[in-house]
Amino acid sequence: MNLKNLVFVVIIVVNSMQAQEIVQKSTYLMGSDFNITVCAKTISEGEKAITLAIEEIKRIEALISSWKTTSETSKINNAAGIKEQHVSEELFELVDRSIKLSKLTDGAFDISYASLDKVWKFDGSMTKFPSEESISKSITNVGYKNIELNYENKTVFLKKKGMKIGFGAIGKGYAADMAKSLLISRGIESGLINASGDISSWGKKPDGSSWKVAITNPLDKKNSFGTFPILNQAVVTSGNYEKFVNFNGKRYAHIIDPRTGYPSTGILSVTIFAPKAELADALATAVFVMGAEVGIDRINQLKQIDCILVKEDGSIQLSNNIKINN
């Protein structure tokens, strides 16, 4: 995509200190829509900052993509069951954090989900419920405990042939965090990166107010049921209301439990507030898999993490520190 063809939207805000430009740009990265907003002293500075963020996101994609044959992730997958694969410290640490998140969520989040055989289809083509045998077989090569790390040599080894890892449930959040860190290091004091619902923010608007996010009402997608201020925080909303199938009066959505091979049920959307988008991204998936009661209970045990959960019946369940006015 030619960056010259993309349009910068500029809003000039004047405060008592100086004029500030809020520069915003929307583009397509990592198979998703990204919207990048920064506050800068000049339009040119804002444009350059956004270009830097885009290049950083592209770098992350080249590192973690399981579709690019040259990525470190692909090299790990290709060596599954054969040999350990030496990787960069950055990818090694991402895999390490992912395994720790798997332990934290009792395996509800698992990057080895990429090994799943796809017996469920959510494109409208499924006409019958998959057999128990096919579902059981679909998770044969899934299991984070079969990811072996060598901390001294920085190698990753997938113990079983056919195993694969993928960062689809954490990658956009990680990319947003990394782009944010880069812009802060370059002197951009305020901004917001929205990676298709994975939002990472820092600083305040030029008028001193906080950035705000609107949480979509999954029962009425044209409207939100709440707007929340965020300060140096990440917010991730995952919805399960567009990709699903119905069998015997029960709704099965597209997020699969990597432990059982069965889709998640009972939840329409999960919004997680956390210090980093990477963490919020992973926990949003995990809560879907764990279910409303277990998921909220787990969130309540974590510091600086909050959750808004909408069930299929339209009821809203909140973690302890979230308050919503009717």
Side-chain angles (χ1 to χ4, degrees):
M1 183 177 290
N2 190 337
L3 297 182
K4 293 182 180 178
N5 293 331
L6 296 174
V7 178
F8 286 92
V9 179
V10 181
I11 306 169
I12 299 178
V13 180
V14 180
N15 61 20
S16 59
M17 297 294 291
Q18 64 175 21
Q20 285 248 328
E21 284 77 31
I22 299 179
V23 186
Q24 185 181 77
K25 186 176 187 179
S26 296
T27 186
Y28 194 74
L29 300 162
M30 300 180 74
S32 301
D33 293 319
F34 272 69
N35 186 283
I36 303 170
T37 305
V38 299
C39 295
K41 295 175 183 177
T42 66
I43 297 172
S44 177
E45 181 183 78
E47 292 175 345
K48 289 177 181 178
I50 290 177
T51 299
L52 279 175
I54 289 172
E55 292 305 314
E56 176 67 356
I57 294 164
K58 288 180 178 178
R59 184 190 70 81
I60 297 297
E61 182 178 21
L63 176 72
I64 69 174
S65 173
S66 56
W67 298 102
K68 295 181 182 291
T69 58
T70 56
S71 74
E72 292 189 14
T73 302
S74 291
K75 291 176 182 178
I76 292 170
N77 292 341
N78 291 337
I82 301 171
K83 62 179 181 179
E84 58 189 16
Q85 183 68 37
H86 183 269
V87 297
S88 64
E89 186 169 354
E90 180 179 9
L91 188 69
F92 184 89
E93 290 178 354
L94 181 60
V95 174
D96 185 36
R97 292 195 302 274
S98 296
I99 292 173
K100 289 173 180 174
L101 282 166
S102 293
K103 294 176 180 177
L104 178 69
T105 60
D106 302 323
F109 170 82
D110 190 338
I111 58 172
S112 72
Y113 81 94
S115 311
L116 274 167
D117 289 335
K118 292 179 174 58
V119 298
W120 297 88
K121 296 179 181 180
F122 302 95
D123 57 3
S125 63
M126 284 191 74
T127 57
K128 63 179 181 179
F129 198 91
S131 67
E132 288 187 18
E133 181 183 1
S134 66
I135 294 171
S136 178
K137 187 179 178 182
S138 72
I139 59 171
T140 301
N141 293 317
V142 179
Y144 72 91
K145 292 181 181 178
N146 288 315
I147 305 173
E148 188 175 273
L149 301 183
N150 184 312
Y151 288 85
E152 183 177 353
N153 298 327
K154 295 293 186 293
T155 61
V156 181
F157 179 54
L158 307 184
K159 295 180 182 179
K160 301 172 69 175
K161 275 194 172 184
M163 273 193 77
K164 294 179 182 179
I165 60 171
F167 297 99
I170 197 172
K172 292 199 305 294
Y174 175 63
D177 287 337
M178 292 297 289
K180 166 186 169 180
S181 295
L182 176 62
L183 294 186
I184 290 174
S185 73
R186 298 299 177 91
I188 301 300
E189 297 179 355
S190 179
L192 186 146
I193 298 173
N194 185 345
S196 291
D198 294 10
I199 298 172
S200 189
S201 73
W202 70 102
K204 292 185 176 182
K205 295 180 183 179
D207 63 3
S209 64
S210 298
W211 297 104
K212 291 183 179 180
V213 294
I215 309 300
T216 299
N217 180 349
L219 298 172
D220 182 7
K221 290 178 288 183
K222 294 182 180 179
N223 295 300
S224 65
F225 67 74
T227 302
F228 299 84
I230 54 173
L231 179 62
N232 301 322
Q233 194 177 27
V235 183
V236 170
T237 297
S238 293
N240 235 358
Y241 41 84
E242 292 181 335
K243 296 180 181 180
F244 60 91
V245 291
N246 285 300
F247 286 112
N248 300 321
K250 191 170 184 179
R251 188 173 173 278
Y252 297 87
H254 75 283
I255 295 178
I256 307 294
D257 187 337
R259 303 165 298 185
T260 65
Y262 283 83
S264 58
T265 60
I267 298 175
L268 286 180
S269 73
V270 173
T271 298
I272 298 289
F273 297 79
K276 290 191 174 184
E278 172 191 318
L279 177 60
D281 206 355
L283 289 176
T285 299
V287 169
F288 263 114
V289 170
M290 289 188 285
E293 302 303 324
V294 175
I296 289 288
D297 180 68
R298 187 61 48 89
I299 294 299
N300 284 332
Q301 297 175 46
L302 303 175
K303 294 181 180 180
Q304 296 182 290
I305 311 293
D306 286 296
C307 178
I308 300 172
L309 184 152
V310 182
K311 295 183 180 180
E312 282 184 12
D313 62 6
S315 63
I316 300 173
Q317 196 160 343
L318 310 173
S319 60
N320 289 340
N321 295 321
I322 290 284
K323 306 296 180 185
I324 296 180
N325 295 326
N326 289 333

